[in-house]
Amino acid sequence: MPLPTVILPGYLESAIAYRQLEQSLLELGFPTVTVPLRRRDWIPTLGGRPVTPILQQLDLTVKQTLQEHNAAQINLIGHSAGGWISRIYMGEKPYFPSGNVQPPIWKAYPLVATLITLGTPHISQERWTRRNLDFVANNYPGAFYQNVRYVCVAGKTIFGARRRGSWLAYSSYQLTCGIGNTWGDGITPIAAAHLEGAENLIIEGVNHSPRSPGIWYGSPEPLKVWVQHLI
């Protein structure tokens, strides 16, 4: 029996955008649920503030899923920012405190069998996101927990360049890894989407977001490439 799977949406995204991916995984035999986020749930995290509200909803969803399926572990799929947020969730170091509240610790790595990140920027040069991403990189570098299988999926779709049609990609790549002239999924460059020690995959022709025109990581064909890594 496959392990239950939890999907954590990307930044400013809601659970609705992942319904097709959720359904595809269900049809393949993986009991799947998406963290029930709404776009407005991200508002408290804007400007590089702590993502604690998202982590709290992730934790609640994981605990409910484990109980519902009488399971000891889950597969965790993090799209975009959901990937590095998942790495904070697995960690055992105190996360940023909020006001006078003690910094929370989730220490969920024993609950995660496989972490799959889809188009996740694991590094950033952008000042609003660096605080969170530096916390992850400094405390949990690479495929940090040996008992967790890390699978990092990158897209090779758009080469960033200072010309029409490639300018957004160029700017996004440069903000993420410091280099604009490189390959990526239109938002996240390959160089930022992979982790040392992980099973690093590259899929050609996928766009970053489920709302992008064309195919994205969760579309039927790209899904075949990475779903085999689920347990």
Side-chain angles (χ1 to χ4, degrees), residues 163-183:
R163 63 171 184 266
R164 187 175 180 181
S166 303
W167 182 260
L168 173 61
Y170 178 91
S171 301
S172 184
Y173 300 165
Q174 190 172 48
L175 277 172
T176 305
C177 70
I179 301 171
N181 295 305
T182 189
W183 284 98

Side-chain angles (χ1 to χ4, degrees), residues 49-221:
R49 285 177 284 181
V51 292
T52 307
I54 308 302
L55 287 156
Q56 290 170 335
Q57 290 210 48
L58 171 60
D59 185 53
L60 183 61
T61 303
V62 169
K63 299 291 174 55
Q64 289 174 339
T65 300
L66 290 169
Q67 185 175 13
E68 180 181 345
H69 294 278
N70 194 26
Q73 289 187 306
I74 58 156
N75 296 311
L76 185 53
I77 298 172
H79 170 239
S80 196
W84 58 259
I85 293 172
S86 295
R87 292 170 65 203
I88 295 174
Y89 176 62
M90 293 193 301
E92 53 198 312
K93 299 289 179 67
Y95 185 54
F96 303 124
S98 178
N100 295 322
V101 179
Q102 287 294 314
I105 305 172
W106 284 272
K107 199 177 181 179
Y109 68 90
L111 306 179
V112 180
T114 301
L115 171 65
I116 295 184
T117 66
L118 305 175
T120 291
H122 290 292
I123 57 173
S124 178
Q125 308 297 317
E126 203 272 322
R127 67 190 183 108
W128 297 117
T129 54
R130 278 196 67 171
R131 186 183 182 210
N132 277 306
L133 281 167
D134 284 354
F135 174 86
V136 182
N138 292 335
N139 288 296
Y140 317 112
F144 188 76
Y145 289 108
Q146 293 185 352
N147 69 303
V148 179
R149 185 182 189 186
Y150 291 75
V151 181
C152 299
V153 189
K156 185 179 180 181
T157 308
I158 300 176
F159 188 83
R162 294 182 179 180
R163 63 171 184 266
R164 187 175 180 181
S166 303
W167 182 260
L168 173 61
Y170 178 91
S171 301
S172 184
Y173 300 165
Q174 190 172 48
L175 277 172
T176 305
C177 70
I179 301 171
N181 295 305
T182 189
W183 284 98
D185 62 14
I187 298 295
T188 302
I190 294 172
H194 286 166
L195 286 174
E196 184 176 351
E199 296 179 56
N200 293 312
L201 309 176
I202 296 174
I203 304 178
E204 295 195 13
V206 295
N207 293 302
H208 180 76
S209 168
R211 297 183 186 272
S212 302
I215 65 171
W216 79 291
Y217 295 98
S219 298
E221 286 304 311

